[in-house]
Amino acid sequence: MLKQPASKYRAFAPVHLSDRTWPDAQLTRPPIWCSVDLRDGNQALIEPMDIARKLRMFQKLVEIGFKQIEVGFPSASQVEFDFVRKLIDENLVPDDVTIQVLTQAREPLIRRTFESLQGAKNVIVHLYNATAPVMRRVVLGLDEDGIVELATGQAQLFVDIAAQYPQTNWTFQYSPEMFSGTELAFSKRVVDAVTAVWQPTPQHKCIINLPSTVEHSTPNIFADMIEWMHRNLARRDSIVLSVHPHNDRGTGTAAGEFAVMAGADRLEGCLFGNGERTGNLDLVNVALNLYSQGVDPGLDFSDIDEVRRTVEHCNQLPVHPRHPYAGDLVYTSFSGSHQDAIKKAFAARKEGDIWDMPYLPLDPKDLGRSYEAVIRVNSQSGKGGISYLLEAEYGLELPRRLQIEFSQVVQTVMDATGKELTAHDIFDLFEREYGVNGIPAPSHMVLEETPTATGKLVNLSANIQIAGQQAAVKGKGNGPIDAFVDAISSVSGESIRVLDYHEHAIGSGANAQAVAYLELRIGERTLFGVGKDSDIVAASLKAIVSGLQRATAGRKAVEQQGG
């Protein structure tokens, strides 16, 4: 890289539009959408789509709700021509959808383009020619007058040929290619000359499309360029002002949104931003940005994963896992503090509330996503994410201190492996750590209650199994749990005290299970035991055995390390 890049590159000149209005504009309705996936996006593929993939993409675009779809460049290849014919001959275009095709400003190509469209109902025919100084000088060898003559001559050819097919509803579109690098005064001159030939009316408008063929400037300057054209074009009331942003600077979405704020009526782009070089405007991104602000975009992305699968199949390109709204990981938090905030916000939210969630700009369920991937656990995660997954996927509502205790168990595994743990992995680890499924309920249990002056005394006798060993126990207390603690203390040789107790049900009806979480003081250790059973008392007693087994295992591990 050069130490003095100004010796090779120059800054893009601002427009000096001191009375610009677009910064105060608010997007309150969607633009006219035009998908160019099948033409501009297709040209950018290593392996261009065959007709089968083009048809699948077209059908998905119709399903999403696009009413204007650029379907190809029929003069460029036989495949492109044949696809346009297939759509028309097989009546595959809905009556409310307008197909669009592109042609260079060359007479043979224009005639071939119109030939491909015979019998179509609604068509936009898109004419373009380069206008930027570098193209005039280096590629075309034409001065400004020559460019205007080229554009107007081919524009007249559009009028003449279209008149031969009155059964088709024609709309003409013109793009001064490389508008983003063309002097504004000359852009206006050539566009005005083309519309003078076409003579659009407010009832039958033409489309003027202003492409940032190469993104040269910051998006605010591009917005100034659009507002200048919006103010100064002749016949503005008879023009649909369109923009076609590219993404060379990584600001295509901002440029598209700013352009609409600056007066553009229409956006051209591709699903997930496919296109040449760094891509075209991402229409999914812009549409869902609007949706997140309470504006109906008029496009249906309620099954975003199916849309993504279709695009990946047709383009043979993956959508990045961090792609806005659609990537695999965009609703996922691994960070412990983020997970804790999300968990608390979900717990506080009521159905029907305005969406106001930390780290989630919109509800994943609106796009057909489940909450399963919202929180995932790796070495950066904390107790909030772990407890969220256990509750969301398995119905386990861990008390806070148990969350802290178990998160240390998970963290130890994460530090050892360095890998992500799924909800299933965490649940398996929880069951192993607390012996949830390996603890049988006490058998031959007998409870006898004896009234006393202060309440009642419960006498308990039962057979229990601790660490694979059977034992007959007896104890007494002011309830079943107290009596069981007394009984089990006598055979374990440990002093056991219940510090806290939580329980809840999982499921309902005949399949309901009770889960008990008991915080215990066993000897010098404070730890939790967990039990699950169809009977709440049995679940509580299992939790005590769980805690005792954990304490015993922990003591043996310490002794082995010391030995």
Side-chain angles (χ1 to χ4, degrees):
M1 295 179 67
L2 301 174
K3 295 296 184 185
Q4 299 293 331
S7 65
K8 185 174 184 179
Y9 304 102
R10 64 174 180 269
F12 195 85
V15 178
H16 299 301
L17 192 69
S18 60
D19 59 343
R20 63 182 60 85
T21 61
W22 66 262
D24 293 323
Q26 186 175 6
L27 299 176
T28 58
R29 57 186 176 85
I32 300 167
W33 305 105
C34 179
S35 159
V36 296
D37 290 86
L38 291 166
R39 194 276 302 172
D40 202 342
N42 189 40
Q43 287 177 314
L45 302 179
I46 298 170
E47 179 188 333
M49 295 180 226
D50 57 21
I51 286 182
R53 281 190 284 153
K54 284 173 77 79
L55 183 58
R56 180 175 174 181
M57 177 71 84
F58 178 78
Q59 290 169 336
K60 179 56 67 175
L61 293 168
V62 170
E63 183 182 317
I64 291 168
F66 285 96
K67 302 304 180 186
Q68 296 183 6
I69 302 172
E70 190 170 60
V71 295
F73 201 143
S75 65
S77 73
Q78 192 62 44
V79 170
E80 296 284 285
F81 187 96
D82 290 346
F83 180 65
V84 175
R85 290 309 317 159
K86 180 179 181 68
L87 292 177
I88 297 168
D89 292 339
E90 298 182 20
N91 198 27
L92 298 175
V93 183
D95 289 344
D96 62 346
V97 171
T98 300
I99 59 172
Q100 176 173 308
V101 293
L102 182 73
T103 179
Q104 289 173 291
R106 292 169 55 192
E107 182 173 345
L109 302 183
I110 292 172
R111 292 192 181 278
R112 176 70 168 164
T113 299
F114 275 91
E115 180 186 345
S116 75
L117 297 167
Q118 292 183 44
K121 295 176 183 175
N122 303 297
V123 180
I124 298 168
V125 192
H126 183 183
L127 174 70
Y128 77 95
N129 62 273
T131 56
V134 66
M135 298 295 284
R136 300 195 307 256
R137 183 178 68 253
V138 175
V139 178
L140 299 175
L142 296 173
D143 60 12
E144 292 186 5
D145 291 343
I147 294 293
V148 172
E149 183 180 348
L150 171 67
T152 55
Q154 305 310 313
Q156 183 60 53
L157 187 60
F158 266 42
V159 175
D160 296 342
I161 299 177
Q164 300 172 25
Y165 305 100
Q167 72 277 15
T168 298
N169 178 27
W170 300 105
T171 298
F172 297 155
Q173 174 171 327
Y174 175 70
S175 288
E177 190 196 10
M178 295 190 69
F179 164 79
S180 51
T182 302
E183 311 93 320
L184 284 175
F186 182 60
S187 291
K188 168 181 162 52
R189 179 187 170 194
V190 69
V191 168
D192 286 350
V194 168
T195 61
V197 172
W198 284 344
Q199 288 295 305
T201 66
Q203 293 73 38
H204 191 194
K205 298 181 179 183
C206 71
I207 301 170
I208 295 300
N209 186 58
L210 304 177
S212 57
T213 310
V214 177
E215 194 177 30
H216 290 300
S217 68
T218 51
N220 61 301
I221 292 178
F222 184 67
D224 283 350
M225 296 170 71
I226 299 302
E227 183 163 343
W228 190 94
M229 293 290 282
H230 168 60
R231 292 186 191 183
N232 290 286
L233 283 178
R235 291 169 283 276
R236 178 65 183 92
D237 64 347
S238 300
I239 290 171
V240 173
L241 190 60
S242 176
V243 293
H244 181 113
H246 277 253
N247 198 42
D248 300 271
R249 295 171 54 91
T251 56
T253 296
E257 291 178 330
F258 284 4
V260 175
M261 293 163 64
D265 308 302
R266 180 179 184 265
L267 289 178
E268 290 190 347
C270 293
L271 299 179
F272 309 121
N274 180 45
E276 293 187 64
R277 304 183 310 280
T278 54
N280 292 320
L281 173 67
D282 180 357
L283 297 183
V284 178
N285 201 161
V286 179
L288 293 179
N289 282 353
L290 286 172
Y291 182 79
S292 72
Q293 302 300 299
V295 177
D296 179 5
L299 299 175
D300 183 3
F301 294 111
S302 56
D303 191 351
I304 194 72
D305 289 337
E306 172 58 24
V307 174
R308 189 186 70 216
R309 283 190 293 270
T310 299
V311 172
E312 288 179 330
H313 169 79
C314 294
N315 289 345
Q316 299 291 291
L317 291 172
V319 172
H320 196 281
R322 298 292 182 192
H323 199 99
Y325 300 112
D328 278 335
L329 297 177
V330 297
Y331 303 108
T332 301
S333 287
F334 289 103
S335 162
S337 61
H338 292 191
Q339 293 174 345
D340 187 57
I342 291 169
K343 179 177 181 292
K344 289 174 179 174
F346 268 123
R349 187 175 187 275
K350 298 180 178 62
E351 189 65 32
D353 286 354
I354 289 294
W355 186 257
D356 185 19
M357 298 289 288
Y359 309 112
L360 293 172
L362 55 72
D363 188 345
K365 283 192 172 179
D366 289 358
L367 305 183
R369 289 281 188 89
S370 71
Y371 290 144
E372 181 178 356
V374 167
I375 289 178
R376 288 161 64 174
V377 172
N378 64 10
S379 60
Q380 304 300 307
S381 307
K383 65 183 185 303
I386 294 163
S387 59
Y388 171 86
L389 289 178
L390 289 176
E391 181 174 351
E393 299 299 315
Y394 298 100
L396 297 175
E397 302 170 13
L398 275 57
R400 180 171 175 77
R401 286 193 294 277
L402 176 54
Q403 294 176 25
I404 296 170
E405 179 186 279
F406 181 56
S407 69
Q408 294 168 354
V409 175
V410 175
Q411 193 67 44
T412 300
V413 173
M414 290 301 317
D415 289 342
T417 65
K419 297 179 179 179
E420 178 189 352
L421 293 183
T422 66
H424 181 70
D425 295 334
I426 294 169
F427 181 67
D428 282 350
L429 184 59
F430 181 80
E431 289 200 319
R432 290 199 304 273
E433 175 67 23
Y434 294 94
V436 176
N437 289 327
I439 300 172
S443 60
H444 302 96
M445 186 168 63
V446 177
L447 295 171
E448 296 179 347
E449 294 185 5
T450 304
T452 68
T454 56
K456 65 181 179 180
L457 179 68
V458 173
N459 291 286
L460 176 147
S461 64
N463 293 333
I464 64 170
Q465 181 176 304
I466 300 179
Q469 300 296 315
Q470 295 284 343
V473 298
K474 291 184 178 180
K476 57 186 177 181
N478 57 19
I481 293 176
D482 194 33
F484 189 70
V485 166
D486 180 59
I488 205 169
S489 297
S490 64
V491 298
S492 67
E494 299 271 18
S495 65
I496 303 173
R497 185 156 56 98
V498 176
L499 303 180
D500 203 1
Y501 172 87
H502 298 268
E503 59 89 11
H504 65 81
I506 298 177
S508 59
N511 296 320
Q513 292 273 297
V515 183
Y517 312 97
L518 272 68
E519 188 176 18
L520 305 168
R521 183 72 173 175
I522 300 177
E524 298 300 315
R525 291 192 65 190
T526 299
L527 56 104
F528 274 86
V530 180
K532 183 167 67 172
D533 197 276
S534 58
D535 177 76
I536 184 57
V537 173
S540 301
L541 304 188
K542 284 183 177 181
I544 296 168
V545 176
S546 163
L548 182 59
Q549 290 188 163
R550 293 184 67 234
T552 302
R555 185 176 62 249
K556 288 181 178 178
V558 171
E559 290 172 354
Q560 289 173 356
Q561 290 174 358

